[in-house]
Amino acid sequence: MNQFDLTGKIALVTGASYGIGYAIASGYAKAGATIVFNDINQELVDKGLAAYAAEGIKAHGYVADVTNEDQINAMIAQIEKEVGVIDILVNNAGIIKRIPMVEMTAAEFRQVIDIDLNGPFIVSKAVIPSMIKKGAGKIINICSMMSELGRETVSAYAAAKGGLKMLTRNIASEYGEYNIQCNGLGPGYIETPQTAPIRVPGHPFNEFIIAKTPAARWGTTDDLVGPAVFLASNASDFVNGHVLYVDGGILAYIGKQPK
Ligand code: NAP
Ligand code: GCO
């Protein structure tokens, strides 16, 4: 039996019109899964549907804001009616604000926490009952280097991603007996629209990250697909409450000595 085969599984990836979510969903489709995704507006959902179709993937797209419990509950009910019960949930949707903490408004802080932490709670809470009924489920929360490390200007994001690591452990603890595995996937610094502003060649942060990464490069979304398939598949049925960091070695490395 191919433990990494996702044939017959239905995977919901939040915020997956592009970026990391899109790459993971596309990888799941190639492993046999049926892909369902949401994004915040119809334009993005249509953009995502076109991108999946261009790869020969018939995805199902829904407009829903992960912070809106009514929208999420309605979407899950619609998915179960139109596609089927969700076997795999990837809580991917997220934002970042890079503002010095003392200059960040409480509203800005709350917005990041709402999307990056409350959102995964809301969506997980909506899908777990059907996973319990089905007798199995996989939940993968997209964590971050900021689940372990702080840095200037990302206080809200680090608080959210640190909380997401503990929400991951708590879901694993509370629902493991129902054969639900909940794990984190912790990307390092990845080339996506979210990091474009700090990845400009010659930008000090760009050089900094390359010096902090043993692999001496930014990650790509392709680097995340194999680990994401592992966490969604039967190959990880006894892995629970773990955060799998896919960071090229950043967390293990003090950083290259400046020349
Ligand atoms: P991205 O390119 O900004 O994509 C994020 C996606 O989430 C977008 O489609 C976005 O839609 C959607 N989204 C935002 N708010 C939403 C909401 N309230 N409801 C539904 N969808 C929403 O980000 P990314 O780089 O692919 O990152 C994806 C995830 O990986 C995030 O959780 C991020 O924190 C995490 N991560 C990223 C990196 C990295 O280096 N890129 C590293 C570690 C972790 P809009 O276009 O409308 O915003
Ligand atoms: C930043 C980056 C990071 C990455 C990622 C690292 O400004 O430091 O955006 O936060 O997005 O989370 O794992």
PDB file of all heavy atoms in Angstrom, residues 3 137-138 172 176-177 179-183 230-242:
ATOM      1  N   GLN A   3       1.587   4.519   1.324  1.00  0.00           N
ATOM      2  CA  GLN A   3       1.136   5.279   2.494  1.00  0.00           C
ATOM      3  C   GLN A   3       0.934   6.761   2.190  1.00  0.00           C
ATOM      4  O   GLN A   3       0.328   7.466   2.978  1.00  0.00           O
ATOM      5  CB  GLN A   3       2.183   5.142   3.605  1.00  0.00           C
ATOM      6  CG  GLN A   3       2.182   3.802   4.318  1.00  0.00           C
ATOM      7  CD  GLN A   3       3.074   3.865   5.563  1.00  0.00           C
ATOM      8  OE1 GLN A   3       4.184   4.396   5.504  1.00  0.00           O
ATOM      9  NE2 GLN A   3       2.577   3.375   6.681  1.00  0.00           N
ATOM     10  N   GLY A 137      -9.315  11.879  10.660  1.00  0.00           N
ATOM     11  CA  GLY A 137      -9.149  13.247  10.124  1.00  0.00           C
ATOM     12  C   GLY A 137      -7.716  13.714  10.270  1.00  0.00           C
ATOM     13  O   GLY A 137      -6.972  13.220  11.120  1.00  0.00           O
ATOM     14  N   LYS A 138      -7.337  14.656   9.400  1.00  0.00           N
ATOM     15  CA  LYS A 138      -5.998  15.255   9.444  1.00  0.00           C
ATOM     16  C   LYS A 138      -6.167  16.766   9.449  1.00  0.00           C
ATOM     17  O   LYS A 138      -6.864  17.314   8.579  1.00  0.00           O
ATOM     18  CB  LYS A 138      -5.193  14.868   8.191  1.00  0.00           C
ATOM     19  CG  LYS A 138      -4.907  13.373   8.054  1.00  0.00           C
ATOM     20  CD  LYS A 138      -3.753  12.949   8.920  1.00  0.00           C
ATOM     21  CE  LYS A 138      -3.368  11.494   8.626  1.00  0.00           C
ATOM     22  NZ  LYS A 138      -2.254  11.029   9.468  1.00  0.00           N
ATOM     23  N   ALA A 172      -4.510  18.184  18.984  1.00  0.00           N
ATOM     24  CA  ALA A 172      -3.925  16.834  18.994  1.00  0.00           C
ATOM     25  C   ALA A 172      -4.271  16.110  20.294  1.00  0.00           C
ATOM     26  O   ALA A 172      -4.646  14.936  20.313  1.00  0.00           O
ATOM     27  CB  ALA A 172      -2.413  16.921  18.836  1.00  0.00           C
ATOM     28  N   GLY A 176      -7.153  13.353  19.603  1.00  0.00           N
ATOM     29  CA  GLY A 176      -6.345  12.214  19.147  1.00  0.00           C
ATOM     30  C   GLY A 176      -7.057  10.888  19.305  1.00  0.00           C
ATOM     31  O   GLY A 176      -6.915   9.987  18.476  1.00  0.00           O
ATOM     32  N   GLU A 177      -7.877  10.774  20.341  1.00  0.00           N
ATOM     33  CA  GLU A 177      -8.555   9.475  20.578  1.00  0.00           C
ATOM     34  C   GLU A 177      -9.595   9.158  19.500  1.00  0.00           C
ATOM     35  O   GLU A 177     -10.071   8.041  19.389  1.00  0.00           O
ATOM     36  CB  GLU A 177      -9.220   9.498  21.967  1.00  0.00           C
ATOM     37  CG  GLU A 177     -10.407  10.433  22.095  1.00  0.00           C
ATOM     38  CD  GLU A 177     -11.023  10.371  23.509  1.00  0.00           C
ATOM     39  OE1 GLU A 177     -11.716   9.379  23.809  1.00  0.00           O
ATOM     40  OE2 GLU A 177     -10.787  11.327  24.269  1.00  0.00           O
ATOM     41  N   ASN A 179      -8.917   9.359  16.351  1.00  0.00           N
ATOM     42  CA  ASN A 179      -8.092   9.111  15.158  1.00  0.00           C
ATOM     43  C   ASN A 179      -7.972  10.363  14.295  1.00  0.00           C
ATOM     44  O   ASN A 179      -7.973  10.316  13.051  1.00  0.00           O
ATOM     45  CB  ASN A 179      -8.641   7.934  14.330  1.00  0.00           C
ATOM     46  CG  ASN A 179      -7.666   7.509  13.232  1.00  0.00           C
ATOM     47  OD1 ASN A 179      -6.433   7.629  13.412  1.00  0.00           O
ATOM     48  ND2 ASN A 179      -8.192   7.061  12.113  1.00  0.00           N
ATOM     49  N   ILE A 180      -7.936  11.512  14.977  1.00  0.00           N
ATOM     50  CA  ILE A 180      -7.658  12.780  14.281  1.00  0.00           C
ATOM     51  C   ILE A 180      -6.233  13.175  14.651  1.00  0.00           C
ATOM     52  O   ILE A 180      -5.888  13.232  15.843  1.00  0.00           O
ATOM     53  CB  ILE A 180      -8.656  13.884  14.713  1.00  0.00           C
ATOM     54  CG1 ILE A 180     -10.078  13.533  14.246  1.00  0.00           C
ATOM     55  CG2 ILE A 180      -8.222  15.242  14.149  1.00  0.00           C
ATOM     56  CD1 ILE A 180     -11.159  14.440  14.829  1.00  0.00           C
ATOM     57  N   GLN A 181      -5.415  13.403  13.632  1.00  0.00           N
ATOM     58  CA  GLN A 181      -4.048  13.875  13.882  1.00  0.00           C
ATOM     59  C   GLN A 181      -3.971  15.359  13.504  1.00  0.00           C
ATOM     60  O   GLN A 181      -4.394  15.736  12.401  1.00  0.00           O
ATOM     61  CB  GLN A 181      -3.019  13.089  13.081  1.00  0.00           C
ATOM     62  CG  GLN A 181      -2.852  11.641  13.523  1.00  0.00           C
ATOM     63  CD  GLN A 181      -3.863  10.723  12.863  1.00  0.00           C
ATOM     64  OE1 GLN A 181      -4.059  10.763  11.648  1.00  0.00           O
ATOM     65  NE2 GLN A 181      -4.562   9.935  13.654  1.00  0.00           N
ATOM     66  N   CYS A 182      -3.462  16.159  14.427  1.00  0.00           N
ATOM     67  CA  CYS A 182      -3.310  17.591  14.157  1.00  0.00           C
ATOM     68  C   CYS A 182      -1.841  17.947  14.320  1.00  0.00           C
ATOM     69  O   CYS A 182      -1.260  17.723  15.388  1.00  0.00           O
ATOM     70  CB  CYS A 182      -4.148  18.418  15.131  1.00  0.00           C
ATOM     71  SG  CYS A 182      -4.020  20.200  14.825  1.00  0.00           S
ATOM     72  N   ASN A 183      -1.239  18.429  13.259  1.00  0.00           N
ATOM     73  CA  ASN A 183       0.185  18.786  13.270  1.00  0.00           C
ATOM     74  C   ASN A 183       0.384  20.148  12.625  1.00  0.00           C
ATOM     75  O   ASN A 183      -0.478  20.653  11.898  1.00  0.00           O
ATOM     76  CB  ASN A 183       0.988  17.728  12.502  1.00  0.00           C
ATOM     77  CG  ASN A 183       1.018  16.396  13.222  1.00  0.00           C
ATOM     78  OD1 ASN A 183       1.671  16.228  14.260  1.00  0.00           O
ATOM     79  ND2 ASN A 183       0.279  15.423  12.713  1.00  0.00           N
ATOM     80  N   PHE A 230       3.011  14.252   3.404  1.00  0.00           N
ATOM     81  CA  PHE A 230       3.302  13.327   4.522  1.00  0.00           C
ATOM     82  C   PHE A 230       2.316  13.542   5.663  1.00  0.00           C
ATOM     83  O   PHE A 230       1.686  12.616   6.170  1.00  0.00           O
ATOM     84  CB  PHE A 230       4.740  13.532   5.000  1.00  0.00           C
ATOM     85  CG  PHE A 230       5.048  12.924   6.342  1.00  0.00           C
ATOM     86  CD1 PHE A 230       5.093  11.540   6.515  1.00  0.00           C
ATOM     87  CD2 PHE A 230       5.284  13.736   7.452  1.00  0.00           C
ATOM     88  CE1 PHE A 230       5.369  10.975   7.761  1.00  0.00           C
ATOM     89  CE2 PHE A 230       5.561  13.180   8.695  1.00  0.00           C
ATOM     90  CZ  PHE A 230       5.604  11.800   8.853  1.00  0.00           C
ATOM     91  N   LEU A 231       2.121  14.802   6.066  1.00  0.00           N
ATOM     92  CA  LEU A 231       1.255  15.093   7.210  1.00  0.00           C
ATOM     93  C   LEU A 231      -0.227  14.838   6.912  1.00  0.00           C
ATOM     94  O   LEU A 231      -1.022  14.663   7.828  1.00  0.00           O
ATOM     95  CB  LEU A 231       1.450  16.549   7.669  1.00  0.00           C
ATOM     96  CG  LEU A 231       2.791  16.863   8.339  1.00  0.00           C
ATOM     97  CD1 LEU A 231       2.882  18.353   8.640  1.00  0.00           C
ATOM     98  CD2 LEU A 231       3.001  16.033   9.612  1.00  0.00           C
ATOM     99  N   ALA A 232      -0.592  14.817   5.615  1.00  0.00           N
ATOM    100  CA  ALA A 232      -1.997  14.561   5.245  1.00  0.00           C
ATOM    101  C   ALA A 232      -2.274  13.077   5.019  1.00  0.00           C
ATOM    102  O   ALA A 232      -3.428  12.673   4.860  1.00  0.00           O
ATOM    103  CB  ALA A 232      -2.331  15.335   3.975  1.00  0.00           C
ATOM    104  N   SER A 233      -1.204  12.266   4.971  1.00  0.00           N
ATOM    105  CA  SER A 233      -1.349  10.858   4.541  1.00  0.00           C
ATOM    106  C   SER A 233      -1.297   9.887   5.709  1.00  0.00           C
ATOM    107  O   SER A 233      -0.975  10.239   6.845  1.00  0.00           O
ATOM    108  CB  SER A 233      -0.199  10.518   3.582  1.00  0.00           C
ATOM    109  OG  SER A 233       1.016  10.410   4.319  1.00  0.00           O
ATOM    110  N   ASN A 234      -1.582   8.598   5.382  1.00  0.00           N
ATOM    111  CA  ASN A 234      -1.521   7.541   6.401  1.00  0.00           C
ATOM    112  C   ASN A 234      -0.106   7.342   6.936  1.00  0.00           C
ATOM    113  O   ASN A 234       0.088   6.734   7.991  1.00  0.00           O
ATOM    114  CB  ASN A 234      -2.039   6.230   5.825  1.00  0.00           C
ATOM    115  CG  ASN A 234      -3.526   6.292   5.494  1.00  0.00           C
ATOM    116  OD1 ASN A 234      -3.957   5.968   4.396  1.00  0.00           O
ATOM    117  ND2 ASN A 234      -4.335   6.732   6.442  1.00  0.00           N
ATOM    118  N   ALA A 235       0.881   7.879   6.212  1.00  0.00           N
ATOM    119  CA  ALA A 235       2.280   7.732   6.658  1.00  0.00           C
ATOM    120  C   ALA A 235       2.511   8.451   7.986  1.00  0.00           C
ATOM    121  O   ALA A 235       3.494   8.178   8.677  1.00  0.00           O
ATOM    122  CB  ALA A 235       3.218   8.277   5.595  1.00  0.00           C
ATOM    123  N   SER A 236       1.613   9.378   8.351  1.00  0.00           N
ATOM    124  CA  SER A 236       1.805  10.142   9.594  1.00  0.00           C
ATOM    125  C   SER A 236       0.714   9.831  10.619  1.00  0.00           C
ATOM    126  O   SER A 236       0.435  10.646  11.506  1.00  0.00           O
ATOM    127  CB  SER A 236       1.789  11.649   9.272  1.00  0.00           C
ATOM    128  OG  SER A 236       0.532  12.005   8.704  1.00  0.00           O
ATOM    129  N   ASP A 237       0.112   8.635  10.537  1.00  0.00           N
ATOM    130  CA  ASP A 237      -1.018   8.328  11.430  1.00  0.00           C
ATOM    131  C   ASP A 237      -0.638   8.266  12.904  1.00  0.00           C
ATOM    132  O   ASP A 237      -1.504   8.340  13.773  1.00  0.00           O
ATOM    133  CB  ASP A 237      -1.675   7.005  11.013  1.00  0.00           C
ATOM    134  CG  ASP A 237      -2.570   7.177   9.795  1.00  0.00           C
ATOM    135  OD1 ASP A 237      -2.756   8.334   9.343  1.00  0.00           O
ATOM    136  OD2 ASP A 237      -3.066   6.159   9.272  1.00  0.00           O
ATOM    137  N   PHE A 238       0.676   8.127  13.220  1.00  0.00           N
ATOM    138  CA  PHE A 238       1.070   8.148  14.630  1.00  0.00           C
ATOM    139  C   PHE A 238       1.907   9.382  14.953  1.00  0.00           C
ATOM    140  O   PHE A 238       2.642   9.431  15.940  1.00  0.00           O
ATOM    141  CB  PHE A 238       1.799   6.853  15.034  1.00  0.00           C
ATOM    142  CG  PHE A 238       1.714   6.548  16.511  1.00  0.00           C
ATOM    143  CD1 PHE A 238       0.484   6.467  17.162  1.00  0.00           C
ATOM    144  CD2 PHE A 238       2.869   6.350  17.275  1.00  0.00           C
ATOM    145  CE1 PHE A 238       0.407   6.190  18.528  1.00  0.00           C
ATOM    146  CE2 PHE A 238       2.792   6.070  18.641  1.00  0.00           C
ATOM    147  CZ  PHE A 238       1.556   5.998  19.262  1.00  0.00           C
ATOM    148  N   VAL A 239       1.806  10.395  14.101  1.00  0.00           N
ATOM    149  CA  VAL A 239       2.458  11.683  14.342  1.00  0.00           C
ATOM    150  C   VAL A 239       1.356  12.644  14.759  1.00  0.00           C
ATOM    151  O   VAL A 239       0.387  12.833  14.015  1.00  0.00           O
ATOM    152  CB  VAL A 239       3.166  12.207  13.067  1.00  0.00           C
ATOM    153  CG1 VAL A 239       3.805  13.577  13.332  1.00  0.00           C
ATOM    154  CG2 VAL A 239       4.220  11.210  12.591  1.00  0.00           C
ATOM    155  N   ASN A 240       1.468  13.213  15.954  1.00  0.00           N
ATOM    156  CA  ASN A 240       0.369  14.070  16.441  1.00  0.00           C
ATOM    157  C   ASN A 240       0.930  15.153  17.356  1.00  0.00           C
ATOM    158  O   ASN A 240       1.775  14.875  18.205  1.00  0.00           O
ATOM    159  CB  ASN A 240      -0.636  13.196  17.224  1.00  0.00           C
ATOM    160  CG  ASN A 240      -2.023  13.808  17.244  1.00  0.00           C
ATOM    161  OD1 ASN A 240      -2.312  14.725  16.471  1.00  0.00           O
ATOM    162  ND2 ASN A 240      -2.870  13.304  18.120  1.00  0.00           N
ATOM    163  N   GLY A 241       0.494  16.381  17.139  1.00  0.00           N
ATOM    164  CA  GLY A 241       0.942  17.493  17.975  1.00  0.00           C
ATOM    165  C   GLY A 241       2.344  17.969  17.656  1.00  0.00           C
ATOM    166  O   GLY A 241       2.967  18.692  18.436  1.00  0.00           O
ATOM    167  N   HIS A 242       2.829  17.585  16.496  1.00  0.00           N
ATOM    168  CA  HIS A 242       4.203  17.909  16.083  1.00  0.00           C
ATOM    169  C   HIS A 242       4.198  19.103  15.133  1.00  0.00           C
ATOM    170  O   HIS A 242       3.245  19.270  14.370  1.00  0.00           O
ATOM    171  CB  HIS A 242       4.791  16.680  15.359  1.00  0.00           C
ATOM    172  CG  HIS A 242       6.197  16.832  14.892  1.00  0.00           C
ATOM    173  ND1 HIS A 242       7.275  16.821  15.749  1.00  0.00           N
ATOM    174  CD2 HIS A 242       6.705  17.036  13.654  1.00  0.00           C
ATOM    175  CE1 HIS A 242       8.386  16.988  15.045  1.00  0.00           C
ATOM    176  NE2 HIS A 242       8.069  17.135  13.783  1.00  0.00           N
TER     177      HIS A 242
END
